[in-house]
Amino acid sequence: MISPAVLSVFIPTFLLVSLTPGLCMTLSMVLGMTQGVRRTIWMMVGELVGVGLVAVAAGAGVAALMLRQPELFAIFKWVGGAYLAYLGVMMWHSRGRMAIPAGDVTLPRASRRHLVIQGFVTAIANPKGWAFFVALLPPFLDASRGMVGQLLVLVAMILTIEFLCLLLYAAGGRTLRRLLGERDKVRLLNRIAGSLMVGVGLWLALG
């Protein structure tokens, strides 16, 4: 359905793009640090659903129309960015569901639903993601072949690559937690994670 020549360019292109640090990859690393890799998978589920919707919209030409409505993105960007920044501030002070408990303090953990929504909003609210798929995905589609089948195959590959890269970043966050996991360094770890989360929020809102 898709020629090997096309795939030989498509796969490394999207692999390189996914490996590049971005909003979702940074979020995955932060959550891997504070929530653990297994719980971060719930964020990945929401993020992959969002990426899949954006990719399908780009392939179908709908994304080009969405990009002409910047006010729609402005709402998602500012609300989503402000919320992520708020979580980052709470983490900086070792408070909230995202922070790592210090000593014998017990903090409620983020719910699975909360993590899924967080990943979905981050993926959907990023206009750069929409613009990227509009520019990069259509050239790999052959108008002389069935569009639906091609789109399904390419989106499946995109989601597989994205998932593997998210896992890699989450594992990196877990490794950092282990390196700084002693009790006297929990505050430092929360501040690192909080700073990164605030950065993701600002990036989303102002990008």
Side-chain angles (χ1 to χ4, degrees):
M1 187 177 296
I2 300 178
S3 70
V6 170
L7 293 180
S8 67
V9 177
F10 178 84
I11 293 175
T13 297
F14 276 87
L15 178 60
L16 179 62
V17 169
S18 292
L19 283 173
T20 302
L23 285 172
C24 294
M25 295 302 156
T26 305
L27 179 61
S28 184
M29 184 176 68
V30 171
L31 295 182
M33 190 187 308
T34 62
Q35 300 293 303
V37 176
R38 287 188 178 182
R39 290 190 65 78
T40 303
I41 289 176
W42 291 102
M43 183 281 294
M44 297 178 195
V45 170
E47 195 268 348
L48 292 174
V49 171
V51 168
L53 289 176
V54 174
V56 170
V62 177
L65 297 177
M66 291 290 290
L67 289 174
R68 295 173 188 158
Q69 304 293 329
E71 63 275 4
L72 295 178
F73 286 113
I75 296 173
F76 280 112
K77 284 174 58 178
W78 284 101
V79 173
Y83 181 61
L84 292 177
Y86 165 76
L87 291 178
V89 171
M90 294 292 286
M91 292 165 68
W92 174 271
H93 293 289
S94 298
R95 297 169 57 191
R97 296 175 183 271
M98 292 293 178
I100 303 168
D104 297 325
V105 177
T106 301
L107 295 174
R109 304 187 72 181
S111 67
R112 294 173 178 176
R113 179 173 174 270
H114 174 85
L115 293 170
V116 170
I117 293 174
Q118 192 173 4
F120 180 78
V121 170
T122 303
I124 291 293
N126 183 12
K128 289 184 179 179
W130 289 80
F132 166 76
F133 279 112
V134 166
L136 199 56
L137 185 58
F140 288 100
L141 297 172
D142 186 348
S144 66
R145 302 186 179 187
M147 296 295 291
V148 175
Q150 291 183 82
L151 194 57
L152 289 176
V153 171
L154 293 180
V155 170
M157 290 184 175
I158 289 171
L159 296 183
T160 300
I161 292 171
E162 185 81 357
F163 177 65
L164 293 175
C165 292
L166 287 168
L167 279 177
L168 182 63
Y169 272 80
R174 179 187 59 187
T175 300
L176 182 59
R177 175 171 179 170
R178 288 178 177 174
L179 293 175
L180 300 175
E182 295 85 353
R183 281 189 181 181
D184 59 337
K185 294 182 180 177
V186 168
R187 179 180 292 273
L188 173 61
L189 195 59
N190 276 328
R191 289 187 172 184
I192 292 173
S195 298
L196 289 171
M197 185 70 84
V198 170
V200 171
L202 293 176
W203 191 352
L204 180 59
L206 304 177

